[in-house]
Amino acid sequence: MDWLFFFEISLAGLGTGGLYALTGLAFVLIYKATRVVNLAIGELLMLGAYLFFGFAAGLALPYWMAVLLTLLSAAVVGGAVERLLIRPMLGESPISVFMLTIGLGSVLIGVVELIWGPNPQRLPEFLPTTPLFLGEAYLSSKIAAAFAAAALMVVAFVLVFRFWRGGVALRATASDQAAAYSMGINVPRVFSLAWVVACVIAAAAGMLVGAIGGIAPTMGVFGLSVLVVVIVGGLDSVFGALVAGLLIGLLEALAGAYLGGEYKLLATFSLLVVVLMLRPYGLFGTHEIERL
Amino acid sequence: MRIGAAKESYAADEALFDTAVQWRWLLAFFALLAIFPFVATPYWLFMACLVAINVASATGLNILTGYTGLVSLGQAAFMGVGAYTVAWLEINLGTPVLLNLAAGGLMAGAAGMLVGIPSLRVKGLYLAIATIAASVIFHFIFANWTSVTGGVSGLTMPPATILGLTLDEPRHLYWLIVPITVLMVTGAANLFRTRIGRAFIAIRDRDISAEVLGIRLLRFKLLSFALSSFYAGVAGGLWAYFFRVVTPESFPLVMSIFFLAAIIVGGMGSILGGILGAVFMTLVPEALKMAVNWLSPWLPDAVALLSPVRVIVFGALIIGFLLFEPQGLAEIWRRLRRQFHLWPFRT
């Protein structure tokens, strides 16, 4: 066995895993606050990447401005989606809301194709491209930079939601909606907040994913792996999303390198089935007890 | 004018239809189905066959999702199992068509039971995602078990033959596909007049209560999965005879979403809803295509717009129905009926 190769593959896998973890975070945030399983997360990510493409390549704005505008528009999209689609579905069965997000994903794909066309595009290079070596192991510096950015955002996110009032409100809502309401927390606003923040995170992840692999209307498939990440980690566990993100990234990279590209999804989904059979609520999710 | 339906016996309460008028409409509908192939153009016959196949599969999914409350995003994968079984039998053994279809249904049913095993441990969204996992794994098997499935290039099969007649165009296949679909839909409608069907509904409404009432959850959930996949398998088999080439890409995840969307748009937990939804969702893209053809003199790149617009309309239909008409087309139909019954009074 070639340990250097193994090490390089693992590093690349962990790099992608960082992006999985970041996107998983956006997913968990929405689930925790609003109990909505957002199947459109991959499409929201794609939308972010395309918005950045539009601002940076289409309008030729400087990168920092394009990033800022992308995040801002993602926030607006998140708020609008919550207000127009999710809010009216309050109290409906989770399945309906989940199907609604499938519909949303479809609409987003169509809109992006309508505006930017169905063909893959390349994002302008905004991440460093000089090769990076850890000891002897080669690591694409794009992946390293993306991982660093993702890690930074995760840390910032965790800190903000630990200490900021909005974060406290969000955690309170997540643990008990009715109690949060009666303690004077504006629960609907927390819902909006969760969607806005999650869409911003997804857009950021989309820019990083697009910078590494290019963008296409089909890049929402990324969301499929993220779905596995959050189920394996536990739908309502931030920590679970982080751990499972790295784990799935690693697993996909190894399966892709040693078995072949077509085994990537198979490996992750097989892991998903195993986890579902052993721990139906994910590795770190809470087991909800049902009573009559 | 008829206001309400006074029922005087349990049998009347359980009957499929509550008025004689409904039977007459049904007979008229069957007569229409019988006349249709003699008057329709090949294009409409093609569409009719496709619609019938989708109706069969959507009805199957409705048993599982609409009546038992188990969301599945694996319907297309089960159709694939049925299609591959039928194609393999037709090519390698040349067994009779109906036998192949039954075998396809049974294989898919077995696959469905296998996939349904997690349904006791997990439910709701976890289960939906487990069925996505199943469809990914099935796709992998279709693409890589080359000796049986022909790998990426798939299987190309000869046309169906019944009693020496070769069914190789929609005009002929119509007589195979539509009767089977009618049979399957009738079967599903009758299923919910039996113990099994009522057990399914009890599980949907509250599975813990159902268990307390003595319904064996695992057994009935697996049965529901098996039945629904059987429907998918037969539909997939018909699909295979219809298109005569089966590849791993024939049954993508989007197709599973399509069926789920069809029963949402039609109305979950209603046989009529499954039918209406499948018809509607199959015909909307065609209507869009026609609209585009019609617009093309004015809009030069209309054809290029077709595919994204289709995707948007698909999503918008799901969203629109969930937001504004959660009971689907079936509810609109019921409202219309009530309107006519109560006329000239207001509903």
Side-chain angles (χ1 to χ4, degrees):
Chain A
M1 187 155 173
D2 185 353
W3 285 106
L4 186 63
F5 179 65
F6 176 80
F7 189 56
E8 283 177 350
I9 295 294
S10 307
L11 276 180
L14 288 176
T16 335
L19 294 174
Y20 284 154
L22 185 62
T23 322
L25 196 67
F27 186 100
V28 168
L29 178 63
I30 289 179
Y31 182 79
K32 261 177 102 78
T34 63
R35 299 281 136 178
V36 170
V37 170
N38 180 11
L39 254 92
I41 196 80
E43 280 73 31
L44 287 168
L45 178 140
M46 172 204 66
L47 181 72
Y50 266 96
L51 284 173
F52 179 72
F53 178 72
F55 289 129
L59 301 181
L61 296 173
Y63 290 145
W64 63 269
M65 203 160 159
V67 170
L68 225 64
L69 278 175
T70 304
L71 297 182
L72 205 68
S73 358
V76 172
V77 170
V81 165
E82 197 278 333
R83 202 72 191 79
L84 298 176
L85 302 183
I86 305 300
R87 188 84 58 89
M89 295 296 283
L90 266 181
E92 297 277 340
S93 82
I95 307 300
S96 308
V97 190
F98 151 95
M99 276 307 292
L100 192 86
T101 61
I102 291 186
L104 172 67
S106 185
V107 170
L108 288 180
I109 291 179
V111 168
V112 164
E113 268 191 37
L114 210 54
I115 301 177
W116 285 286
N119 298 320
Q121 309 268 8
R122 284 185 65 79
L123 280 187
E125 301 282 349
F126 68 102
L127 293 178
T129 46
T130 45
L132 204 71
F133 286 92
L134 277 181
E136 280 179 54
Y138 164 81
L139 177 64
S140 151
S141 57
K142 271 187 192 174
I143 294 183
F147 182 80
L152 210 67
M153 285 179 61
V154 168
V155 171
F157 172 85
V158 170
L159 287 180
V160 159
F161 279 83
R162 186 93 186 78
F163 298 111
W164 178 47
R165 280 172 62 93
V168 176
L170 193 121
R171 279 184 292 136
T173 312
S175 69
D176 189 336
Q177 247 174 54
Y181 236 130
S182 59
M183 295 309 285
I185 288 172
N186 188 342
V187 171
R189 192 181 295 166
V190 169
F191 280 19
S192 291
L193 178 74
W195 273 87
V196 166
V197 174
C199 283
V200 167
I201 294 178
M207 285 187 269
L208 296 174
V209 173
I212 294 172
I215 57 176
T218 50
M219 72 190 273
V221 179
F222 189 85
L224 222 52
S225 296
V226 174
L227 223 54
V228 179
V229 165
V230 290
I231 295 283
V232 166
L235 275 180
D236 56 354
S237 163
V238 170
F239 180 66
L242 301 183
V243 172
L246 294 179
L247 180 70
I248 300 280
L250 195 60
L251 182 70
E252 265 193 5
L254 291 177
Y258 286 103
L259 301 171
E262 71 270 29
Y263 284 86
K264 272 188 180 178
L265 270 185
L266 182 76
T268 52
F269 275 97
S270 305
L271 177 71
L272 171 79
V273 172
V274 171
V275 169
L276 277 182
M277 293 306 278
L278 297 178
R279 285 185 67 96
Y281 294 89
L283 296 176
F284 301 98
T286 29
H287 186 143
E288 279 170 33
I289 297 163
E290 279 189 272
R291 291 195 179 83
L292 263 185
Chain B
M1 185 178 79
R2 182 180 67 86
I3 297 180
K7 294 184 177 144
E8 294 173 341
S9 64
Y10 284 114
D13 198 36
E14 277 191 344
L16 272 186
F17 298 112
D18 44 14
T19 64
V21 181
Q22 275 176 315
W23 278 108
R24 272 173 236 147
W25 277 114
L26 195 69
L27 284 179
F29 176 67
F30 282 141
L32 197 73
L33 282 184
I35 298 170
F36 185 74
F38 299 108
V39 292
T41 59
Y43 170 77
W44 282 108
L45 270 169
F46 176 89
M47 287 315 297
C49 291
L50 199 59
V51 163
I53 292 170
N54 286 342
V55 165
S57 191
T59 305
L61 185 62
N62 213 351
I63 295 177
L64 182 65
T65 301
Y67 284 100
T68 322
L70 304 169
V71 180
S72 162
L73 280 165
Q75 193 73 355
F78 299 132
M79 280 181 78
V81 172
Y84 271 108
T85 310
V86 164
W88 191 85
L89 286 173
E90 184 71 46
I91 292 168
N92 292 297
L93 300 180
T95 36
V97 171
L98 293 178
L99 191 72
N100 292 348
L101 287 173
L106 289 177
M107 276 297 276
M113 267 168 103
L114 200 67
V115 172
I117 289 175
S119 67
L120 196 72
R121 298 264 296 170
V122 301
K123 55 186 173 190
L125 308 153
Y126 285 94
L127 183 64
I129 289 160
T131 58
I132 295 184
S135 57
V136 168
I137 292 169
F138 275 121
H139 183 272
F140 180 82
I141 295 174
F142 295 154
N144 288 283
W145 194 9
T146 315
S147 58
V148 172
T149 63
V152 185
S153 51
L155 296 174
T156 311
M157 56 191 278
T161 45
I162 290 186
L163 303 173
L165 289 170
T166 308
L167 313 177
D168 56 353
E169 47 184 312
R171 191 157 52 90
H172 300 142
L173 279 163
Y174 182 89
W175 295 107
L176 176 70
I177 294 172
V178 171
I180 290 181
T181 298
V182 168
L183 207 66
M184 292 208 289
V185 170
T186 318
N190 277 306
L191 176 69
F192 297 101
R193 303 165 65 198
T194 66
R195 277 176 84 82
I196 297 173
R198 284 195 300 271
F200 287 171
I201 294 172
I203 291 173
R204 173 191 68 189
D205 290 346
R206 192 98 170 98
D207 57 349
I208 298 176
S209 314
E211 194 170 23
V212 172
L213 290 174
I215 294 167
R216 306 256 181 84
L217 280 192
L218 182 62
R219 179 184 294 178
F220 281 96
K221 282 183 176 178
L222 287 188
L223 186 62
S224 182
F225 258 102
L227 270 173
S228 145
S229 326
F230 178 85
Y231 274 64
V234 175
L238 293 173
W239 194 96
Y241 278 123
F242 191 56
F243 289 102
R244 299 233 304 274
V245 64
V246 185
T247 69
E249 307 307 321
S250 306
F251 303 100
L253 186 59
V254 178
M255 198 166 166
S256 298
I257 296 176
F258 168 86
F259 286 117
L260 206 48
I263 62 172
I264 285 177
V265 167
M268 279 213 203
S270 145
I271 293 293
L272 180 69
I275 301 170
L276 292 179
V279 175
F280 185 74
M281 293 302 281
T282 317
L283 293 182
V284 162
E286 295 303 309
L288 281 179
K289 212 191 277 174
M290 280 177 200
V292 162
N293 281 340
W294 183 72
L295 279 177
S296 46
W298 292 280
L299 258 172
D301 53 349
V303 179
L305 296 181
L306 180 60
S307 136
V309 167
R310 227 187 233 187
V311 178
I312 294 178
V313 168
F314 178 73
L317 278 174
I318 301 179
I319 295 177
F321 269 95
L322 279 169
L323 281 180
F324 302 114
E325 193 66 80
Q327 312 274 355
L329 292 168
E331 179 62 26
I332 296 178
W333 174 250
R334 275 194 286 271
R335 220 180 287 141
L336 267 174
R337 260 188 80 194
R338 209 162 46 232
Q339 187 84 32
F340 276 101
H341 284 171
L342 297 182
W343 190 87
F345 301 108
R346 281 186 54 150
T347 43

